[in-house]
Amino acid sequence: MNPHGVHSALQVPADLQFVGFVRCALACVLDREGWPADGAGRVLLASTEALTNAIEHGSPDHGRVDVALTVGPERAEVRVVDEGLPGVPVPVCPATPPPVTSTRGRGLLIISRLADDFDLRSAGEGTEVSVGFWRHAAMPEPQDAGVRQAA
């Protein structure tokens, strides 16, 4: 574990085939810094959602997406910036999920619920999503925490 953490910046084509590469790179850094599985899982899921949104909704064909990550002993931060599309405004995180019949529209809500810090703003012509995570964030207790299952 590096006491100062790791900082990396990636610029990837706006193509979904690169999501796995970025996720793998981030997973390797989290593992190297000794992050526990539950904390690393939150970072990976939220970051994957942010990158996928940037590619699908905020990038022109043959565009690029910038991803910056900083992982330290107690905190991880990820920033995803797309190039933007003409006429497409900065998205707004919904307060509630879409109807259960909807197959889309949950990404920003998932990110906002997983991250300890979440910021969505304009970045030039595009959108910047910044998320921060504490290594040992308190996760909400399940509703049925007192219910035991039979063996």
Side-chain angles (χ1 to χ4, degrees), residues 1 6 9 11 16 22 35 43-44 56 69 83 88 95 106 110-111 123-124 126-127:
M1 185 171 2
V6 174
Q11 187 176 82
L16 291 174
V22 173
W35 273 60
V43 175
L44 292 171
E56 290 184 337
L69 58 106
E83 291 182 346
V88 176
R106 292 174 181 80
I110 289 169
I111 295 166
T127 300

Side-chain angles (χ1 to χ4, degrees), residues 57-100:
H57 307 295
S59 299
D61 289 338
H62 309 292
R64 64 175 167 64
V65 177
D66 294 318
V67 180
L69 58 106
T70 300
V71 179
E74 295 302 320
R75 185 156 169 85
E77 297 176 357
V78 179
R79 187 181 50 126
V80 177
V81 182
D82 62 50
E83 291 182 346
L85 293 170
V88 176
V90 173
V92 175
C93 184
T96 59
V100 294

Side-chain angles (χ1 to χ4, degrees), residues 2-151:
N2 180 348
H4 303 292
V6 174
H7 178 76
S8 184
L10 304 168
Q11 187 176 82
V12 296
D15 185 321
L16 291 174
Q17 74 179 1
F18 290 93
V19 172
F21 167 77
V22 173
R23 183 178 171 91
C24 184
L26 183 52
C28 289
V29 172
L30 289 163
D31 183 59
R32 178 178 172 215
E33 292 300 305
W35 273 60
D38 60 337
R42 290 185 319 121
V43 175
L44 292 171
L45 180 54
S47 301
T48 300
E49 285 291 335
L51 179 57
T52 300
N53 281 350
I55 292 169
E56 290 184 337
H57 307 295
S59 299
D61 289 338
H62 309 292
R64 64 175 167 64
V65 177
D66 294 318
V67 180
L69 58 106
T70 300
V71 179
E74 295 302 320
R75 185 156 169 85
E77 297 176 357
V78 179
R79 187 181 50 126
V80 177
V81 182
D82 62 50
E83 291 182 346
L85 293 170
V88 176
V90 173
V92 175
C93 184
T96 59
V100 294
T101 55
S102 178
T103 59
R104 302 186 62 86
R106 292 174 181 80
L108 291 175
L109 194 57
I110 289 169
I111 295 166
S112 71
R113 300 277 170 90
L114 290 172
D116 295 310
D117 303 305
F118 171 65
D119 188 40
L120 182 63
R121 67 175 156 249
S122 175
E125 298 294 317
T127 300
E128 177 180 320
V129 175
S130 296
V131 288
F133 305 86
W134 291 105
R135 180 186 187 100
H136 298 290
M139 293 299 289
E141 289 293 321
Q143 297 280 338
D144 57 353
V147 177
R148 293 180 50 117
Q149 291 185 331

